[in-house]
């Protein structure tokens, strides 16, 4: 588990550097959640939380952090990526890779959303996607939803394509004795 966790964290860090697009206040579309979600669903929530928190901490140092102080680093990196570990609740369950991914991605979004309405409200009013936002709650919903939602959908599509040939790995059947 330890070796697989280290490999998945490293792969996530590399995939996080390959961004489809990046938003001005941080946040980007990438496949960095893919290996983390797979690890969580294979090994469960305990190991998943540890691996995801480790990824969040390493991400600050390796990929760099866009922040407005230590609070936003704690929320947008350590906690937001750490809670992806709840995807581990899908371990051993039918379709666990899919609903676990949705659960982990939703948990990440919730932390980013909280960060947006508490810390990043200082940038309001602001414009994004051609619309000016005065309301920090709506801004955070649109801003964070725009990239986290796409990340979740990309992961689900890739897991859907790979599910039939790699089902025993997605369900952790290869780990059973």
């Amino acid at each position: 588990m330890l070796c697989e966790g280290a490999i998945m964290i490293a792969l996530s860090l590399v995939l996080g550097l390959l961004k489809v697009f990046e938003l001005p206040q941080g946040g980007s579309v990438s496949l960095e959640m893919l290996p983390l979600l797979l690890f969580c669903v294979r090994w469960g929530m305990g190991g998943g939380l540890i691996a995801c928190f480790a990824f969040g901490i390493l991400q600050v140092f390796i990929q760099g952090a866009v922040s407005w102080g230590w609070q936003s680093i704690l929320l947008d990196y350590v906690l937001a990526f750490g809670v992806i570990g709840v995807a581990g609740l899908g371990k051993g369950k039918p379709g666990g890779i899919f609903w676990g991914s949705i659960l982990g991605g939703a948990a990440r979004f919730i932390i980013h959303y909280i960060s947006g309405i508490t810390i990043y409200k200082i940038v309001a009013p602001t414009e994004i996607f051609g619309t000016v936002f005065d309301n920090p709650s709506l801004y955070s919903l649109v801003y964070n939803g725009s990239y986290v939602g796409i990340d979740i959908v990309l992961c689900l599509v890739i897991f859907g394509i790979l599910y039939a040939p790699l089902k025993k790995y997605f369900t952790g059947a290869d780990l059973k004795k």
Side-chain angles (χ1 to χ4, degrees), residues 27-45:
S28 60
V29 172
S30 72
L31 293 174
E32 64 194 353
M33 285 198 317
L34 195 73
L36 296 175
L37 292 168
L38 178 58
F39 179 80
C40 293
V41 173
R42 283 176 52 78
W43 292 98
M45 194 167 82

Side-chain angles (χ1 to χ4, degrees), residues 18-135:
L18 306 172
K19 299 171 177 153
V20 177
F21 76 86
E22 190 168 7
L23 294 170
Q25 307 296 326
S28 60
V29 172
S30 72
L31 293 174
E32 64 194 353
M33 285 198 317
L34 195 73
L36 296 175
L37 292 168
L38 178 58
F39 179 80
C40 293
V41 173
R42 283 176 52 78
W43 292 98
M45 194 167 82
L49 287 168
I50 292 169
C52 291
F53 276 110
F55 169 78
I57 292 167
L58 289 170
Q59 185 185 35
V60 172
F61 297 106
I62 294 173
Q63 295 177 357
V66 175
S67 72
W68 292 89
W70 66 268
Q71 300 92 338
S72 64
I73 289 175
L74 181 64
L75 283 173
D76 285 320
Y77 294 92
V78 179
L79 287 176
F81 285 94
V83 298
I84 292 172
V86 300
L89 291 172
K91 177 185 178 187
K93 310 272 189 318
I97 191 72
F98 300 107
W99 65 264
S101 296
I102 292 169
L103 186 61
R108 175 185 171 200
F109 168 76
I110 290 168
I111 301 299
H112 284 305
Y113 177 75
I114 291 168
S115 176
I117 61 175
T118 57
I119 296 170
Y120 284 90
K121 67 181 179 186
I122 62 173
V123 299
T126 191
E127 180 182 340
I128 186 165
F129 307 124
T131 305
V132 175
F133 290 90
D134 293 331
N135 181 333

